Amino acid sequence: MTESAFRTVYREEYIAAFEQNYSALRAACVQDATIRGQTAVFLVSGSNSAAAVTRGINGQIPFGVVDNTQLSCTLSEKHAPFETTDFNIFASQGNQKKIMQDSSIATLNRDIDDVVIAQLDTATQDTASAVEADLNLVEMAGTILGNNDVPVDDEDNLFAIITPSFRSFIRQTPEFTSGDFQNVKMLGGGMKRVWRAMGWNWITSTRLTGKGTATEKCYFLHKNAMGHAANSKEMEVDVGYERKQKNSWTNASLYHGAKLLQNSGIVQVLHDGSRYVAS
């Protein structure tokens, strides 16, 4: 006769899988809440580097015109649908409806970053050959922007979008960790999703092109160089039940797009992150 009758207990609360479930890059873009329409138009205006003038030989002051550039951002219809049967919900562990809903939101948030990155990858200013991150690389990016009259003292709107390996290299520089340069102990506490140091708002993204290779594409930019437009209601998350087939479903929807507005305000920093990958 068997002495024990062991049973298996399944934990009802689910554990989220490791994946990005938020948008990290929207904060680095000028936002437009499009009410209706397929295309959002951003207006970039300036003097076009005009020089001051004096009166001409006819005694008249020659007038110029301001430069108005309209840039169109085409919105695309994006959805993140999930569906399962009543029986699967009944027979499966965890709250399957909540899991589907969270998955819909996470999928669309990742798409926002992917759309922004696709536009960042069209930027043409770069730092030449890829190297491992150090203070010199950061200063080079800032200097390129400064030479283009980008306000590099406008730290509320300056962003460094980097890979995990770039973050790891820069965290080891004395200028990043020393109390002589930082008011906040940068190595104190846990990793930060967004933080401010050296005059930049740093955002780490795992979706940047070339992540984990010798040719990672990171970006230093001013917010006015990149635009993102979305429907005014923002993300819609629907949950429903289809009685005929006895299926439950969720769907997150968003109409959105991104557009590079000023190439002079973005520097593509080529980074060698190949030393910090799993073997």
Coordinates of all heavy atoms in Angstrom, one line a residue, residues 30-66:
V30 N 8.7 64.8 -30.3 CA 7.6 65.8 -30.3 C 6.4 65.0 -30.6 O 6.3 64.3 -31.6 CB 7.8 66.9 -31.3 CG1 6.6 67.8 -31.4 CG2 9.1 67.7 -31.1
Q31 N 5.3 65.2 -29.7 CA 4.1 64.4 -29.9 C 3.0 65.2 -30.5 O 2.9 66.5 -30.3 CB 3.6 64.0 -28.5 CG 4.5 63.1 -27.7 CD 4.6 61.7 -28.4 OE1 3.6 61.2 -28.9 NE2 5.8 61.2 -28.5
D32 N 2.3 64.6 -31.4 CA 1.1 65.2 -32.0 C -0.1 64.3 -31.9 O 0.0 63.1 -32.2 CB 1.3 65.4 -33.5 CG 0.1 66.0 -34.2 OD1 -0.2 67.2 -34.0 OD2 -0.6 65.3 -34.9
A33 N -1.2 64.8 -31.3 CA -2.4 64.0 -31.1 C -3.3 64.3 -32.3 O -4.1 65.2 -32.2 CB -3.0 64.4 -29.8
T34 N -3.2 63.5 -33.3 CA -4.0 63.7 -34.5 C -5.5 63.4 -34.2 O -5.8 62.3 -33.7 CB -3.5 62.8 -35.6 OG1 -2.1 63.1 -35.9 CG2 -4.3 63.0 -36.9
I35 N -6.4 64.3 -34.5 CA -7.8 64.1 -34.2 C -8.4 63.1 -35.3 O -9.0 62.1 -35.0 CB -8.6 65.4 -34.2 CG1 -8.0 66.3 -33.0 CG2 -10.1 65.2 -34.0 CD1 -8.6 67.7 -33.0
R36 N -8.3 63.5 -36.5 CA -8.7 62.6 -37.6 C -7.7 62.8 -38.8 O -7.2 63.9 -39.0 CB -10.1 63.0 -38.1 CG -11.2 62.8 -37.0 CD -12.6 63.0 -37.5 NE -13.0 62.0 -38.5 CZ -13.6 60.9 -38.2 NH1 -13.9 60.6 -36.9 NH2 -14.0 60.0 -39.1
G37 N -7.6 61.8 -39.6 CA -6.8 61.9 -40.8 C -5.7 60.9 -40.8 O -5.3 60.3 -39.8
Q38 N -5.2 60.6 -42.0 CA -4.2 59.6 -42.2 C -2.8 60.2 -42.1 O -1.8 59.5 -41.8 CB -4.3 59.0 -43.6 CG -3.3 57.9 -43.9 CD -3.3 57.4 -45.3 OE1 -3.7 58.2 -46.2 NE2 -2.8 56.2 -45.6
T39 N -2.6 61.5 -42.3 CA -1.3 62.2 -42.3 C -1.3 63.3 -41.3 O -2.2 64.1 -41.3 CB -1.0 62.7 -43.7 OG1 -1.1 61.6 -44.6 CG2 0.4 63.3 -43.7
A40 N -0.2 63.3 -40.5 CA 0.0 64.4 -39.6 C 1.2 65.2 -40.1 O 2.2 64.6 -40.6 CB 0.3 63.9 -38.2
V41 N 1.1 66.5 -40.2 CA 2.1 67.4 -40.8 C 2.8 68.2 -39.7 O 2.1 69.0 -38.9 CB 1.5 68.3 -41.8 CG1 2.6 69.2 -42.4 CG2 0.9 67.5 -43.0
F42 N 4.1 68.1 -39.5 CA 4.9 68.8 -38.6 C 5.5 70.0 -39.3 O 5.9 69.9 -40.5 CB 6.0 68.0 -38.0 CG 5.5 66.9 -37.1 CD1 5.2 65.6 -37.6 CD2 5.4 67.1 -35.7 CE1 4.7 64.6 -36.7 CE2 4.9 66.1 -34.9 CZ 4.6 64.8 -35.4
L43 N 5.5 71.2 -38.7 CA 6.0 72.4 -39.3 C 7.3 72.8 -38.6 O 7.4 73.0 -37.4 CB 5.1 73.6 -39.2 CG 5.6 74.9 -39.7 CD1 5.9 74.9 -41.2 CD2 4.6 76.0 -39.4
V44 N 8.4 72.8 -39.4 CA 9.7 73.2 -38.8 C 10.0 74.6 -39.5 O 10.1 74.7 -40.7 CB 10.8 72.2 -39.2 CG1 12.2 72.7 -38.7 CG2 10.5 70.9 -38.6
S45 N 10.2 75.6 -38.7 CA 10.4 77.0 -39.2 C 11.6 77.6 -38.6 O 12.0 77.3 -37.4 CB 9.2 77.8 -38.8 OG 8.0 77.3 -39.4
G46 N 12.3 78.5 -39.4 CA 13.4 79.2 -38.9 C 13.9 80.2 -39.9 O 13.3 80.4 -41.0
S47 N 15.0 80.9 -39.6 CA 15.5 82.0 -40.4 C 16.3 81.5 -41.6 O 16.8 82.2 -42.4 CB 16.3 83.0 -39.6 OG 17.5 82.4 -39.1
N48 N 16.6 80.1 -41.6 CA 17.5 79.5 -42.6 C 18.9 80.2 -42.5 O 19.5 80.4 -43.6 CB 16.9 79.7 -44.0 CG 17.5 78.7 -45.0 OD1 18.1 77.7 -44.6 ND2 17.5 79.0 -46.2
S49 N 19.4 80.4 -41.3 CA 20.7 81.0 -41.1 C 20.9 82.3 -41.8 O 22.0 82.6 -42.3 CB 21.8 80.0 -41.5 OG 21.7 78.8 -40.7
A50 N 19.9 83.1 -41.9 CA 20.0 84.4 -42.6 C 20.9 85.3 -41.8 O 21.1 85.2 -40.6 CB 18.6 85.0 -42.7
A51 N 21.6 86.2 -42.6 CA 22.5 87.2 -42.0 C 21.9 88.6 -42.0 O 21.0 88.9 -42.8 CB 23.8 87.2 -42.8
A52 N 22.3 89.4 -41.0 CA 21.7 90.7 -40.9 C 22.2 91.5 -42.2 O 23.2 91.3 -42.7 CB 22.2 91.4 -39.6
V53 N 21.3 92.5 -42.6 CA 21.6 93.2 -43.8 C 21.7 94.7 -43.5 O 21.3 95.2 -42.4 CB 20.5 93.0 -44.8 CG1 20.5 91.5 -45.2 CG2 19.1 93.4 -44.3
T54 N 22.2 95.5 -44.4 CA 22.2 96.9 -44.4 C 21.4 97.5 -45.6 O 21.0 96.7 -46.5 CB 23.6 97.5 -44.3 OG1 23.6 98.9 -44.1 CG2 24.3 97.2 -45.6
R55 N 21.2 98.7 -45.6 CA 20.4 99.3 -46.7 C 21.2 99.1 -48.0 O 22.5 99.2 -48.1 CB 20.1 100.8 -46.5 CG 19.1 101.0 -45.4 CD 18.8 102.5 -45.2 NE 17.9 102.7 -44.1 CZ 16.6 102.6 -44.2 NH1 16.0 102.4 -45.3 NH2 15.9 102.8 -43.1
G56 N 20.5 98.9 -49.1 CA 21.1 98.8 -50.4 C 21.4 100.2 -50.9 O 21.1 101.2 -50.4
I57 N 22.0 100.2 -52.1 CA 22.4 101.5 -52.7 C 21.2 102.3 -53.1 O 21.3 103.5 -53.3 CB 23.3 101.3 -54.0 CG1 22.6 100.4 -55.0 CG2 24.6 100.6 -53.6 CD1 23.4 100.2 -56.3
N58 N 20.0 101.7 -53.2 CA 18.8 102.4 -53.5 C 18.1 102.9 -52.2 O 17.1 103.5 -52.2 CB 17.8 101.5 -54.2 CG 17.5 100.3 -53.4 OD1 18.0 100.0 -52.3 ND2 16.6 99.4 -54.0
G59 N 18.8 102.7 -51.0 CA 18.3 103.2 -49.8 C 17.2 102.3 -49.2 O 16.7 102.6 -48.1
Q60 N 16.9 101.2 -49.8 CA 15.9 100.3 -49.3 C 16.6 99.1 -48.5 O 17.7 98.7 -48.8 CB 15.1 99.7 -50.5 CG 14.4 100.7 -51.3 CD 13.3 101.4 -50.5 OE1 12.5 100.8 -49.8 NE2 13.3 102.7 -50.5
I61 N 15.8 98.6 -47.5 CA 16.3 97.5 -46.7 C 15.8 96.2 -47.4 O 14.6 96.0 -47.6 CB 15.7 97.5 -45.3 CG1 16.2 98.8 -44.6 CG2 16.2 96.3 -44.5 CD1 15.6 99.0 -43.2
P62 N 16.7 95.3 -47.8 CA 16.2 94.1 -48.5 C 15.7 93.1 -47.4 O 16.3 92.8 -46.4 CB 17.5 93.5 -49.1 CG 18.6 94.1 -48.2 CD 18.2 95.4 -47.8
F63 N 14.5 92.6 -47.7 CA 13.8 91.7 -46.8 C 13.9 90.3 -47.3 O 13.9 90.0 -48.5 CB 12.3 92.1 -46.7 CG 12.0 93.2 -45.8 CD1 12.2 94.6 -46.2 CD2 11.6 93.0 -44.5 CE1 12.0 95.6 -45.3 CE2 11.3 94.1 -43.6 CZ 11.6 95.4 -44.1
G64 N 14.0 89.4 -46.4 CA 14.0 88.0 -46.7 C 12.7 87.3 -46.2 O 11.8 88.0 -45.8
V65 N 12.6 86.1 -46.4 CA 11.4 85.3 -45.9 C 11.9 84.2 -44.9 O 13.0 83.7 -45.1 CB 10.6 84.7 -47.0 CG1 10.0 85.8 -47.9 CG2 11.4 83.8 -47.9
V66 N 11.0 83.9 -44.0 CA 11.4 82.8 -43.1 C 11.2 81.5 -43.8 O 10.5 81.4 -44.8 CB 10.5 82.8 -41.8 CG1 10.8 84.0 -41.0 CG2 9.0 82.7 -42.2

